[in-house]
């Protein structure tokens, strides 16, 4: 919120940021009350903040958490469901809360083109989300690598080539290019948590420097936005303000 308030004071537009709420967060009554007071007293909060809840956390929520989410909806905050399609998934999850955005689990996305069953599930899940008035987010780039050797979270050697590949991914899933689909996905997220840190200081999501990520993101964003001005292209998801050097870069 401070970051966006500074932007507004300098005559710039606010940049919506997503905040992940875990199961532990919902059981912290002091934190929940602090969020309520802070967000209710913040002007234009709906343009600054989105709340993101993982599927596994949502599956264990109780009445108090649902009440909190309803209050946030009254403030016009967008509520996002992350990792739908993982082990804890349930259709009742979609029934109990009016989610504005649904992120499909990467495990399903990676099986597109390999499993007709998965393609049918994804196609109907996207259709179901749209019928309920929710949007679907597709993440471009690797999610996380916990293995010792990293293959998919290293900075691309050619940022423009990576962006061109993403262009064709979008055309494949939205425009039917290369025997593709017409999923009508509006939200596309570039990468995931480049500021993430393990206990030993290593980064399981981005093997480059904050400056390299800033350059990479700028190239990819500008290229894709020029190709698809009608789509919502943004990101990345960040773990928070623990590593401000990534945000400042």
């Amino acid at each position: 919120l401070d970051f966006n308030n500074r932007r507004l004071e300098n005559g710039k537009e606010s940049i919506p940021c997503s905040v992940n709420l875990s199961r532990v967060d919902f059981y912290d009554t002091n934190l929940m009350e602090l969020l309520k007071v802070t967000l209710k007293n913040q002007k234009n909060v709906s343009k600054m903040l989105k709340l993101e809840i993982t599927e596994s956390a949502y599956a264990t929520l109780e009445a108090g958490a649902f009440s909190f989410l309803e209050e946030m909806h009254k403030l016009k905050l967008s509520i996002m469901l992350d990792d739908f399609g993982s082990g804890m998934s349930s259709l009742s999850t979609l029934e109990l809360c009016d989610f504005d955005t649904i992120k499909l689990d990467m495990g399903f996305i990676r099986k597109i083109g390999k499993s007709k069953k998965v393609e049918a599930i994804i196609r109907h899940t996207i259709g179901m989300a749209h019928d309920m008035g929710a949007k679907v987010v597709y993440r471009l780039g690797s999610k996380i690598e916990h293995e010792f050797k990293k293959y998919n979270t290293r900075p691309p050697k050619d940022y423009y080539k990576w962006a061109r590949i993403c262009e064709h991914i979008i055309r494949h899933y939205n425009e039917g290019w290369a025997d593709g689909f017409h999923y009508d996905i509006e939200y596309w997220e570039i990468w995931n948590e480049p500021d993430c840190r393990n206990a030993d200081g290593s980064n399981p999501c981005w093997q480059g420097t904050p400056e390299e990520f800033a350059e990479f993101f700028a190239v990819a964003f500008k290229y894709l936005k020029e190709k698809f001005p009608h789509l919502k292209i943004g990101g990345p998801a960040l773990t928070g303000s623990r590593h401000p050097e990534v945000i400042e870069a």
Side-chain angles (χ1 to χ4, degrees):
L1 294 177
D2 289 340
F3 168 75
N4 271 316
N5 280 326
R6 289 197 301 270
R7 288 184 60 85
L8 292 174
E9 290 172 1
N10 293 325
K12 300 179 180 179
E13 291 185 9
S14 61
I15 300 176
C17 299
S18 297
V19 175
N20 269 71
L21 294 176
S22 70
R23 176 178 55 186
V24 175
D25 292 331
F26 280 104
Y27 286 117
D28 187 335
T29 55
N30 291 329
L31 174 61
M32 292 294 100
E33 190 59 33
L34 175 63
L35 284 173
K36 288 180 185 179
V37 173
T38 301
L39 297 178
K40 286 181 179 179
N41 292 329
Q42 173 65 54
K43 294 182 179 179
N44 300 315
V45 66
S46 63
K47 297 181 180 179
M48 297 183 180
L49 197 66
K50 299 177 184 291
L51 299 181
E52 190 166 328
I53 307 162
T54 61
E55 165 72 10
S56 56
Y58 190 84
T60 60
L61 296 186
E62 297 178 354
F66 291 125
S67 175
F68 170 80
L69 293 177
E70 289 178 4
E71 289 190 55
M72 295 302 98
H73 249 153
K74 291 178 181 177
L75 295 177
K76 306 300 183 183
L77 262 71
S78 178
I79 308 296
M80 308 171 70
L81 177 63
D82 195 14
D83 292 338
F84 185 74
S86 60
M88 301 291 289
S89 293
S90 169
L91 292 177
S92 63
T93 301
L94 302 179
E95 177 193 7
L96 293 173
C97 185
D98 293 328
F99 291 103
D100 301 288
T101 309
I102 297 172
K103 286 187 179 181
L104 297 180
D105 184 68
M106 187 60 70
F108 269 117
I109 298 298
R110 287 174 176 162
K111 294 176 183 178
I112 293 178
K114 301 177 182 179
S115 169
K116 293 297 183 182
K117 288 183 178 180
V118 168
E119 290 178 8
I121 292 172
I122 291 175
R123 181 170 63 254
H124 290 290
T125 299
I126 292 174
M128 180 171 55
H130 288 167
D131 288 343
M132 293 188 297
K135 302 291 185 180
V136 172
V137 174
Y138 187 111
R139 177 181 292 136
L140 298 164
S142 183
K143 182 177 181 180
I144 194 168
E145 286 187 305
H146 292 296
E147 296 79 7
F148 178 74
K149 288 187 177 182
K150 315 295 184 186
Y151 298 98
N152 299 314
T153 56
R154 295 184 179 279
K157 292 183 179 180
D158 185 331
Y159 297 164
Y160 285 97
K161 182 178 180 180
W162 190 90
R164 289 195 299 273
I165 292 172
C166 290
E167 173 195 352
H168 290 96
I169 290 174
I170 295 174
R171 295 196 187 283
H172 179 72
Y173 290 126
N174 270 4
E175 301 176 1
W177 179 80
D179 296 323
F181 311 89
H182 294 274
Y183 288 154
D184 191 27
I185 300 174
E186 183 180 5
Y187 286 82
W188 298 81
E189 181 181 65
I190 300 174
W191 218 261
N192 180 56
E193 299 181 358
D195 61 333
C196 186
R197 295 289 188 276
N198 289 321
D200 61 2
S202 62
N203 189 327
C205 297
W206 176 259
Q207 305 309 308
T209 65
E211 292 74 19
E212 286 175 326
F213 182 82
E215 181 182 357
F216 156 75
F217 182 87
V219 168
F221 173 80
K222 291 177 181 177
Y223 180 91
L224 294 174
K225 195 62 180 175
E226 181 180 346
K227 297 295 181 180
F228 307 100
H230 59 292
L231 297 180
K232 303 290 180 61
I233 297 171
L238 298 175
T239 60
S241 57
R242 291 177 298 167
H243 304 287
E245 70 278 5
V246 176
I247 299 175
E248 294 301 325

